[in-house]
Amino acid sequence: MCGIAGIYNFQSNKSVKLDQIQHMVSSLNHRGPDECGFLIDRNFGMGMSRLSIIDLSGGSQPLHNEDRSIWIVFNGEIFNYIELRQELEFKGHHFYTHSDTEAIVHCYEEYGVDFVKYLNGQFAISIWDVKKKKLILARDRVGIRPLFYSLLNNNSIFFASEMKAIFAEGTINPEIDEIGIAQIFTYWVNIPPVTSFKNVNELPAGHVLICNHKGTEIKPYWDMQFPANGGFDKRQKAEIIDELKDQINKAIALRLRADVPVAAYLSGGIDSSIISTLVKRNHNNNLTTFSVAFKDKDYDERTYQEQMVAHLGTNHHMCEVDAHDIAEAFIDVVWYAEKPMMRTAPAPLFALSKLVRDNNIKVVLTGEGADEIFGGYNIFKESLVRRFWSRQPDSEWRPLLLSRLYPYILKDARHLNTFWQGFFKKGLKQTHLPYYSHLIRWDNTSKTRVFFNNSIKHHYNTVAEHQDLNQYFDADIKNMAPLNQAQYIESKLFMTGYLLSSQGDRMMMGNSVEGRFPFLDHQVIEFASKISPHLKVNGLNEKYILKEAYKDILPEGIIYRSKQPYRAPILSSFLSDKTPELIKELLRPQAIKQYGYFNYNSVDKLLRKGKNISAKNDMAVAALVSVQLLHYHYIERFGDHDFRLAEKQTVINLN
Amino acid sequence: MADVKQQVRDYIIENFLFGDTSTQFSDEDSFMEKGILDSTGILEVITFLEESYGIKIEDDELVPENLDSINNIASFISRKKN
């Protein structure tokens, strides 16, 4: 695991200087504090900061092929490197290290840009082809590892694992992009290639970028695909379950490949419980596990975590966070996430990865992705209930099914059920729209636009027509089964843009910890995509096939528990006497007015409500604090951040 | 009547749209379907109506037909006052 960065002046002879790349890499030290390496070849340069996990002594980067004509820096892991290496050696390639990195170089030599299709892993790769003067950037299929780029005057490209590295070089200054902000206040995420900063783009997951003297080209190589209606896996349930277990076992075994110990997160939910159980049973009887608990019991799942620890007998570590810890951590969270957010939920995970690091663990397995690919979220069931209701819109009992999905919303307002029906009735009959499942959520989130300045409000109108989405999504979404449409949207937006980044990669790498996600092995995804929707959400039973597969090895209290969305407190973190001084400062009238993203009068009316702010508007408070922090870190105080390079440095100069 | 409608509209804009007048809604529009209120919002509206118009709203009156638009509220208030 690492951070990568580089510059290519592809239409000029202007040479790239070592210190330009060093400045970039110094801002990525948290991603790889162990060592760093650089390559300079006239008008091209790249570098990386490394967290050593495989081939600790021989895996230093940049690495090269036999005749030193192809060089690589890369962030991530190629889990099938042993098999790849065997195939490539059979084809006559010679290896000089035992690292997974070297397999990529030879794979590119053998297959050209198609090399990426042979990799099973999580990666952001930069390959420099010396003879062709060609740069290839590639990002893994679902976007577990980040990669950003800037095109300057159409003759230079800057790229890096995190946007801060592009700004650290000094040519491109951070400027917040109002369209990016308007997107987050609607979809919760940015739609690639848009980011929250002007002039910086995100390379979409499953894409490669090729750059030579002619310019740049961006091409997809993989996307989630679902069978057209009726084309699902027709085997008996028992056979499908057998393959499911095989696939998950393989994905876990591949992800245990490391030259350092691999631990696991245990959230108390089904998904991480399955992973930990399988690792403990099949691979490592001394498994170490980690979890986060909340002082506020509305959010806490420790009883489930304790149940699993007792069941498995793992070496368990837990950290407890309260509202104040969350607010404190949130200051760093925004620096690492590089975008505003509607939730504080990443903050406890930042505290958790610190606990992991403090226990000298670098790698953890987690359950991310199971909800997306096996159908675990309420929004999937909500959409199915609304479709069912839409066939008899006057039915009195059909909408009551919604209260089974949202008992936590209804618990204080049981006699107001009929009002909630009004909320869910919006657009009820528009079942032909491919985004049907998510339109209510986006519409509801976009109500926060009342707090914006007029300029951002104006951008919202463009966002609301979903043009960016239409370009980003596979046009085939129209032909997918309803559940698959919702899964596709949820995976491409929330999973990639928030769960794996703001709440995943950035929170773990902020403390130099690498996450690995067995459910997101692309072979598991491709297998799961073919499973019939009714085996995923069966009636209103979510992740049915997954639970059927593993009900015998998990305690009943875990397998049949009601699903609790992972959330963290917002109002008690940001609007209390104990709120950190910096956040208090950023919420004062002067700071709101000075930064200028919000309409001061509206924000003032909101904040005056204090603890009485409704559930609907608490996300506006998170968004407000995060936008203010983003400006503070990147516009006002960028130079104050402590950047440094690892002591162990390798410099290769091809000039 | 007209007064009640305007008063309720002003209250909604001030408290739930935070002064933003660019969100358009007619006297007929459902607050819930427009996403202007959530269920805790309805509770605040009830308190506002009870305090402003000196009425007491019974549990079985807490239905959208009485409360989920400006027009519904206005006719509900006028029925209650008579």
Side-chain angles (χ1 to χ4, degrees):
Chain A
M1 273 307 294
C2 315
I4 64 171
I7 300 172
Y8 183 18
N9 297 320
F10 57 88
Q11 277 183 344
S12 75
N13 291 324
K14 192 178 163 195
S15 54
V16 173
K17 304 270 188 302
L18 177 63
D19 66 353
Q20 288 180 280
I21 309 297
Q22 283 176 326
H23 283 140
M24 295 177 90
V25 171
S26 69
S27 71
L28 301 174
N29 189 257
H30 54 280
R31 299 187 69 90
D34 296 338
E35 56 181 300
C36 57
F38 305 92
L39 172 91
I40 301 292
D41 183 9
R42 296 177 186 86
N43 56 348
F44 176 81
M46 64 184 182
M48 60 95 63
S49 62
R50 180 177 182 227
L51 181 67
S52 322
I53 288 170
I54 291 177
D55 194 2
L56 304 184
S57 56
S60 302
Q61 300 180 24
L63 278 176
H64 56 80
N65 64 340
E66 293 90 338
D67 68 358
R68 297 177 160 251
S69 64
I70 294 164
W71 290 82
I72 183 172
V73 293
F74 120 96
N75 161 217
E77 304 295 340
I78 307 303
F79 299 119
N80 64 335
Y81 72 103
I82 294 173
E83 293 77 8
L84 262 182
R85 180 184 178 122
Q86 283 166 356
E87 284 169 35
L88 291 162
E89 282 181 332
F90 184 71
K91 289 176 189 275
H93 293 269
H94 297 283
F95 283 69
Y96 71 101
T97 71
H98 296 282
S99 71
D100 56 337
T101 315
E102 199 184 354
I104 308 173
V105 179
H106 297 291
C107 200
Y108 169 74
E109 253 190 316
E110 186 64 34
Y111 304 112
V113 175
D114 275 348
F115 78 99
V116 69
K117 295 179 181 163
Y118 295 82
L119 310 179
N120 181 340
Q122 49 195 43
F123 49 80
I125 294 170
S126 164
I127 290 177
W128 175 238
D129 188 326
V130 177
K131 289 180 192 157
K132 293 183 180 158
K133 301 282 283 174
K134 187 158 87 171
L135 165 69
I136 294 106
L137 299 177
R139 195 168 171 212
D140 67 64
R141 294 171 180 81
V142 293
I144 295 170
R145 295 301 159 224
L147 193 52
F148 299 92
Y149 64 94
S150 288
L151 286 169
L152 188 68
N153 307 325
N154 243 350
N155 57 30
S156 295
I157 184 169
F158 293 64
F159 62 91
S161 296
E162 296 182 17
M163 294 185 268
K164 54 179 70 67
I166 293 175
F167 306 135
E169 189 274 337
T171 309
I172 296 166
N173 287 318
E175 278 182 77
I176 288 177
D177 185 352
E178 294 187 339
I179 295 175
I181 303 287
Q183 282 183 344
I184 288 185
F185 279 77
T186 302
Y187 304 115
W188 293 30
V189 295
N190 285 129
I191 315 297
V194 173
T195 69
S196 294
F197 291 96
K198 282 182 191 164
N199 306 316
V200 187
N201 290 329
E202 177 178 353
L203 181 65
H207 281 64
V208 291
L209 181 153
I210 302 153
C211 178
N212 59 20
H213 69 279
K214 290 184 217 149
T216 56
E217 185 191 4
I218 294 171
K219 294 198 295 195
Y221 68 89
W222 189 89
D223 199 2
M224 268 182 113
Q225 288 184 321
F226 293 95
N229 265 330
F232 294 104
D233 194 334
K234 296 215 165 41
R235 289 175 294 172
Q236 295 291 314
K237 190 174 94 183
E239 283 179 79
I240 295 177
I241 286 177
D242 283 346
E243 188 183 339
L244 189 154
K245 290 178 176 170
D246 281 351
Q247 292 278 2
I248 301 286
N249 282 341
K250 265 196 287 182
I252 290 176
L254 281 177
R255 278 157 188 76
L256 290 171
R257 287 178 172 173
D259 295 330
V260 295
V262 178
Y265 277 179
L266 209 46
S267 70
I270 292 173
D271 312 325
S272 61
S273 297
I274 291 172
I275 305 281
S276 294
T277 305
L278 294 175
V279 173
K280 169 94 181 170
R281 284 189 157 205
N282 304 333
H283 301 277
N284 177 6
N285 203 33
N286 293 317
L287 181 66
T288 300
T289 49
F290 295 92
S291 70
V292 64
F294 290 88
K295 194 163 187 185
D296 182 339
K297 60 181 188 320
D298 283 353
Y299 303 91
D300 190 54
E301 295 190 71
R302 89 181 72 194
T303 55
Y304 295 108
Q305 295 162 0
E306 284 163 356
Q307 206 177 327
M308 274 312 294
V309 170
H311 176 73
L312 290 176
T314 60
N315 169 26
H316 189 70
H317 304 269
M318 185 193 84
C319 63
E320 184 192 74
V321 294
D322 64 16
H324 178 71
D325 300 327
I326 288 167
E328 280 285 349
F330 198 73
I331 295 170
D332 287 335
V333 163
V334 174
W335 166 250
Y336 288 115
E338 305 185 316
K339 57 175 112 161
M341 52 193 72
M342 316 297 287
R343 290 278 182 254
T344 50
L349 293 176
F350 188 65
L352 181 59
S353 67
K354 182 163 188 310
L355 178 70
V356 173
R357 191 64 186 168
D358 290 345
N359 281 278
N360 292 316
I361 296 283
K362 290 181 178 177
V363 184
V364 287
L365 299 185
T366 88
E368 256 77 28
D371 283 322
E372 288 79 1
I373 69 169
F374 289 110
Y377 286 126
N378 265 339
I379 196 165
F380 301 150
K381 295 195 275 184
E382 175 194 304
S383 149
L384 297 175
V385 169
R386 289 179 67 238
R387 280 173 191 277
F388 173 67
W389 176 18
S390 73
R391 281 184 246 125
Q392 297 291 340
D394 296 329
S395 162
E396 284 186 16
W397 68 269
R398 289 189 184 213
L400 294 180
L401 289 168
L402 289 168
S403 63
R404 288 215 217 158
L405 306 187
Y406 300 112
Y408 52 91
I409 287 175
L410 296 173
K411 72 180 177 194
D412 299 324
R414 197 156 294 135
H415 55 295
L416 292 174
N417 273 352
T418 45
F419 287 97
W420 272 97
Q421 291 178 28
F423 176 80
F424 288 109
K425 206 162 189 172
K426 178 161 187 163
L428 185 67
K429 291 186 192 165
Q430 296 174 309
T431 52
H432 60 285
L433 298 177
Y435 309 149
Y436 182 74
S437 55
H438 284 65
L439 290 173
I440 286 189
R441 177 194 281 180
W442 296 339
D443 192 60
N444 196 35
T445 306
S446 70
K447 298 297 180 209
T448 50
R449 74 181 183 273
V450 301
F451 302 109
F452 290 146
N453 69 30
N454 286 334
S455 165
I456 298 180
K457 255 186 221 170
H458 163 76
H459 287 305
Y460 166 79
N461 294 328
T462 330
V463 171
E465 287 162 23
H466 307 306
Q467 287 157 351
D468 296 346
L469 276 192
N470 298 341
Q471 282 180 7
Y472 175 57
F473 284 165
D474 184 349
D476 203 42
I477 187 172
K478 292 191 188 71
N479 303 318
M480 294 176 190
L483 176 66
N484 295 157
Q485 288 176 332
Q487 287 182 275
Y488 183 86
I489 296 167
E490 192 64 16
S491 304
K492 296 274 287 189
L493 292 184
F494 189 70
M495 182 177 84
T496 297
Y498 174 82
L499 207 62
L500 294 175
S501 51
S502 298
Q503 199 169 293
D505 174 87
R506 308 316 184 74
M507 292 309 106
M508 293 186 184
M509 289 317 298
N511 285 309
S512 311
V513 171
E514 168 180 307
R516 296 182 177 185
F517 317 99
F519 290 112
L520 292 175
D521 184 303
H522 70 279
Q523 286 165 341
V524 173
I525 298 176
E526 287 168 5
F527 159 75
S529 298
K530 297 193 188 80
I531 297 176
S532 167
H534 85 270
L535 288 175
K536 292 177 181 166
V537 181
N538 188 261
L540 286 182
N541 189 359
E542 77 281 355
K543 286 189 288 201
Y544 172 71
I545 190 94
L546 191 68
K547 289 192 244 180
E548 284 292 290
Y550 294 109
K551 64 184 177 190
D552 296 338
I553 62 166
L554 293 187
E556 279 195 9
I558 297 289
I559 202 97
Y560 297 117
R561 62 168 290 196
S562 60
K563 188 174 163 57
Q564 178 172 345
Y566 168 71
R567 294 181 59 178
I570 295 175
L571 300 181
S572 55
S573 298
F574 295 144
L575 301 178
S576 96
D577 297 342
K578 287 200 271 172
T579 297
E581 204 46 47
L582 174 62
I583 292 177
K584 281 186 185 164
E585 195 67 44
L586 292 174
L587 290 179
R588 289 201 176 107
Q590 201 210 340
I592 305 270
K593 285 178 185 164
Q594 186 196 336
Y595 289 3
Y597 301 101
F598 297 96
N599 174 333
Y600 170 69
N601 289 330
S602 301
V603 168
D604 185 51
K605 288 191 172 86
L606 174 71
L607 295 180
R608 276 172 200 280
K609 290 194 167 200
K611 293 254 164 68
N612 296 321
I613 290 173
S614 72
K616 191 178 107 186
N617 284 316
D618 73 350
M619 53 187 181
V621 175
L624 174 65
V625 174
S626 58
V627 169
Q628 293 292 94
L629 276 169
L630 193 69
H631 183 99
Y632 173 82
H633 282 307
Y634 282 87
I635 312 296
E636 205 167 82
R637 298 292 181 98
F638 190 76
D640 291 359
H641 288 272
D642 179 28
F643 297 152
R644 69 183 95 172
L645 286 172
E647 274 177 34
K648 190 181 168 202
Q649 294 191 25
T650 311
V651 178
I652 291 154
N653 200 324
L654 302 182
N655 291 342
Chain B
M1 257 316 252
D3 259 8
V4 173
K5 284 186 187 179
Q6 194 56 48
Q7 286 159 359
V8 173
R9 175 173 287 276
D10 290 346
Y11 168 79
I12 297 279
I13 290 174
E14 180 71 11
N15 282 278
F16 298 100
L17 299 173
F18 302 94
D20 174 73
T21 47
S22 65
T23 303
Q24 302 286 328
F25 63 105
S26 74
D27 290 353
E28 287 290 333
D29 283 334
S30 153
F31 299 136
M32 302 304 290
E33 288 187 42
K34 272 267 171 181
I36 293 168
L37 296 185
D38 56 16
S39 70
T40 51
I42 286 286
L43 295 175
E44 286 184 49
V45 171
I46 292 164
T47 312
F48 165 77
L49 296 176
E50 288 182 336
E51 285 175 0
S52 309
Y53 301 106
I55 53 173
K56 184 170 184 320
I57 303 176
E58 305 295 334
D59 278 1
D60 61 4
E61 291 171 325
L62 300 178
V63 291
E65 293 72 30
N66 289 339
L67 297 166
D68 194 23
S69 72
I70 301 237
N71 279 347
N72 289 2
I73 289 178
S75 5
F76 175 59
I77 299 289
S78 91
R79 281 200 307 277
K80 286 290 274 190
K81 293 201 120 182
N82 295 327

